[in-house]
Amino acid sequence: MNVLKMNENIIAQKSIGFAIRIVNLYKFLCAEHKEYVLSKQILRSGTAVGAMIKEAEHAQSKLDFLHKMSIGLKEANETNYWLLLLKEGGYLQANEYESIKKNCEEILRLLASIVKTTKTSVKMKT
């Protein structure tokens, strides 16, 4: 079900770009820092954001769409947490952290808006 078609395209594009940055971050952490625990966590949550958005494109209902986008929002929030730990743990420089954090927070804002709008839409129909 294509709810908020225009926003879906924007969020889908941004989540793919973000996932690519996360994959590259994972490679960097493994190669340069020999870090395998936090890097695996951020790889999982950071790529799950886009996966949930992609799944939402073919949701069976508005409620299913809302559920998938809500999970995407949670995954983005978790990714933000792992980014902070990587920065505080000395694996990311401040400028590297700020750059990818900015992308993550933009996705968080978009997803929060989509979830809020969809919740309102679902409530109006019940």
Side-chain angles (χ1 to χ4, degrees), residues 53-101:
I53 292 166
K54 192 68 175 165
E55 282 189 41
E57 288 178 7
H58 297 285
Q60 296 174 352
S61 65
K62 271 195 176 186
L63 283 175
D64 187 35
F65 175 86
L66 175 60
H67 177 71
K68 287 173 178 21
M69 289 301 224
S70 295
I71 293 172
L73 177 60
K74 289 179 181 184
E75 295 290 349
N77 196 46
E78 180 181 336
T79 302
N80 206 24
Y81 172 76
W82 296 124
L83 286 169
L84 178 62
L85 285 184
L86 287 166
K87 183 194 129 227
E88 294 299 322
Y91 294 104
L92 290 176
Q93 298 297 319
N95 61 331
E96 296 166 327
Y97 169 72
E98 289 301 326
S99 174
I100 199 164
K101 177 184 168 226

Side-chain angles (χ1 to χ4, degrees), residues 17-79:
F18 184 68
I20 291 167
R21 285 195 77 184
I22 292 294
V23 169
N24 289 331
L25 175 59
Y26 171 78
K27 290 178 189 177
F28 167 78
L29 292 169
C30 291
E32 299 296 321
H33 293 287
K34 305 297 183 230
E35 200 302 306
Y36 303 104
V37 178
L38 296 176
S39 60
K40 198 65 133 176
Q41 291 289 345
I42 200 164
L43 178 66
R44 186 204 52 75
S45 66
T47 57
V49 176
M52 294 312 301
I53 292 166
K54 192 68 175 165
E55 282 189 41
E57 288 178 7
H58 297 285
Q60 296 174 352
S61 65
K62 271 195 176 186
L63 283 175
D64 187 35
F65 175 86
L66 175 60
H67 177 71
K68 287 173 178 21
M69 289 301 224
S70 295
I71 293 172
L73 177 60
K74 289 179 181 184
E75 295 290 349
N77 196 46
E78 180 181 336
T79 302

